[in-house]
């Protein structure tokens, strides 16, 4: 009896001297060892495959699978690891669905109907929905997940963002087998380790890993019986979780965060969520991170007169009292949140825990260059108050709550 892909349908038993034999397993055990006993649809590639995906990261792998089967319009290849390819998405307007329509791939909307007997294996990448055991058991070879991290580090929906946010030097693409009830805990079938390019953003790292994920999955599918026989459980130590990014992560705490931490935060989320602080009681967004810099105040008095270091407050639209301080140039070198305009580079330098970081522009009501912000705000504040006002850090607040703001510590102790 033959399947649609031409492969002989037969029962593959472990330990009996067949091609899927593995030491240590009881003779006669059905393979793969997942769920109730059942017959395999194919003993080897090419496979009938259902692809679950959504975003741009998943698109590259879907292209590779379509090319592997000869289904992609631009491909002349046939006879690879895939005999048939269909696609499932949560929404009709995600990049994976757009590619499927463009290339004429059968497209299914979630939730799925009965898929029993139609596929050999499933592949899920950035799907965003937990797959139940009843669905997993419909696939004789289970469902594989392509996960862009060095599992068990950074399990969860946003591994690339947290890799960059935490300044990791090494990451990976991991092919693992889905298990029900929990994300990213299944055994590893294949893994490719990569150094994180110095200075890369989350978007840039995603492009690098997406390009690696496609051939790694194809290699796994070409050798799937052996990969599954050799699979290894994830280490019980070193597991970390990578939750979704959100706007509350974008607030900078100048007193607590180092130059390196602010740089990593910007590279991780800056393309999606601008970093934020407060200025004179209003939220500002900092864009165009320009790296660290050195500000010298040699020859100036380090302790300002009490009259030039004072507090003021206002009531913002949310009803919270926002406190801010004015500093003389003499105290700015050691006051986190202090702002200095750098004319030679047209950037704003801001003091943080261990140095200075610079930005090319800010968004108040509209986007302003550093020079525009200096002329319209910094310089005006200096003329009005005889000193420069500092950016103010928010207090940490739970997700969804409006952050409260720290009163900037006054080095003279005068309030």
């Amino acid at each position: 009896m033959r399947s649609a892909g031409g492969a002989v349908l037969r029962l593959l038993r472990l330990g009996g001297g067949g091609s899927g034999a593995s030491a240590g397993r009881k003779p006669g055990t059905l393979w793969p060892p997942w769920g109730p006993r059942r017959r395999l649809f194919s003993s080897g590639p090419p496979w009938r495959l259902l692809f679950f995906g959504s975003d741009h990261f998943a698109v590259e792998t879907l292209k590779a699978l379509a090319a592997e089967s000869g289904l992609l319009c631009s491909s002349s290849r046939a006879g690879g690891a895939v005999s048939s390819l269909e696609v499932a998405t949560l929404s009709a307007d995600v990049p994976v669905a757009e590619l499927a329509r463009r290339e004429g791939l059968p497209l299914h909307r979630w939730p799925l109907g009965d898929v029993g007997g139609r596929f050999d294996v499933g592949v899920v990448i950035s799907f965003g929905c937990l797959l139940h055991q009843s669905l997993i058991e419909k696939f004789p070879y289970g469902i594989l997940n392509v996960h862009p991290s060095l599992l068990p580090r950074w399990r969860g929906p946003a591994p690339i963002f947290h890799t960059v946010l935490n300044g990791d030097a090494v990451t990976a693409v991991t092919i693992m087998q889905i298990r029900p009830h929990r994300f990213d805990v299944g055994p590893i079938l294949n893994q490719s380790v990569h150094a994180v390019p110095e200075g890369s953003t989350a978007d840039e790292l995603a492009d690098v890993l997406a390009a690696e994920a496609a051939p790694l999955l194809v290699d796994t599918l070409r050798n799937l019986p052996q990969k599954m026989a050799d699979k290894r459980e994830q280490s019980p130590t070193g597991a970390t979780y990578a939750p979704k990014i959100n706007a509350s992560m974008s607030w900078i705490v100048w007193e607590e965060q180092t130059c390196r931490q602010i740089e990593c935060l910007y590279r991780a989320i800056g393309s999606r969520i601008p970093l934020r602080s407060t200025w004179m009681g209003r939220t500002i967004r900092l864009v165009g991170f320009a790296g660290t810099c050195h500000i010298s105040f040699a020859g100036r008095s380090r302790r300002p007169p009490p009259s030039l270091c004072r507090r003021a407050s206002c009531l913002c639209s949310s009803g919270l009292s926002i406190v801010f301080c004015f500093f003389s140039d003499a105290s700015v070198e050691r006051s986190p949140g202090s702002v200095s305009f750098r004319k030679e580079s047209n950037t704003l330098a801001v003091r943080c825990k261990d140095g200075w970081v610079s930005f090319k522009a800010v968004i108040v009501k509209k986007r302003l260059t550093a020079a525009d912000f200096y002329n319209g705000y910094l310089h005006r504040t200096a003329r009005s108050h005889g000193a420069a006002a500092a950016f103010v850090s928010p207090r940490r607040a739970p997700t969804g709550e409006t952050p409260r703001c720290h009163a900037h510590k006054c080095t003279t102790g005068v309030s």
Side-chain angles (χ1 to χ4, degrees), residues 53-122:
S54 60
D55 62 15
H56 289 286
F57 184 84
V59 162
E60 291 304 313
T61 299
L62 180 57
K63 287 179 180 178
L65 293 175
E68 183 71 10
S69 64
L71 298 174
L72 200 64
C73 295
S74 59
S75 172
S76 59
R77 176 170 182 165
V82 179
S83 62
S84 66
L85 178 62
E86 299 184 25
V87 178
T89 64
L90 296 176
S91 169
D93 57 359
V94 294
V96 164
E98 293 171 2
L99 175 64
R101 286 192 296 268
R102 186 165 66 247
E103 301 298 338
L105 301 175
L107 182 61
H108 304 268
R109 288 289 302 278
W110 187 263
L112 299 176
D114 184 18
V115 298
R118 297 173 56 185
F119 302 100
D120 302 313
V121 63

Side-chain angles (χ1 to χ4, degrees), residues 361-378:
V362 300
I363 300 174
V364 187
K365 294 180 180 179
K366 61 180 181 179
R367 184 183 177 109
L368 300 171
T369 66
D372 290 338
F373 184 74
Y374 171 75
N375 291 326
Y377 292 88
L378 283 177

Side-chain angles (χ1 to χ4, degrees), residues 11 15 23 46-47 60 137 172-173 180 189 202 206 234 239 263 358 371 375 388 410:
L11 185 64
W47 310 107
E60 291 304 313
E137 291 177 349
V173 176
L189 277 65
Q234 294 186 33
E263 177 188 356
S358 58
N375 291 326
C410 190

Side-chain angles (χ1 to χ4, degrees), residues 301-314:
S301 169
R302 295 185 59 84
R303 192 172 184 83
S307 62
L308 292 185
C309 184
R310 59 188 183 275
R311 294 183 184 178
S313 65
C314 68

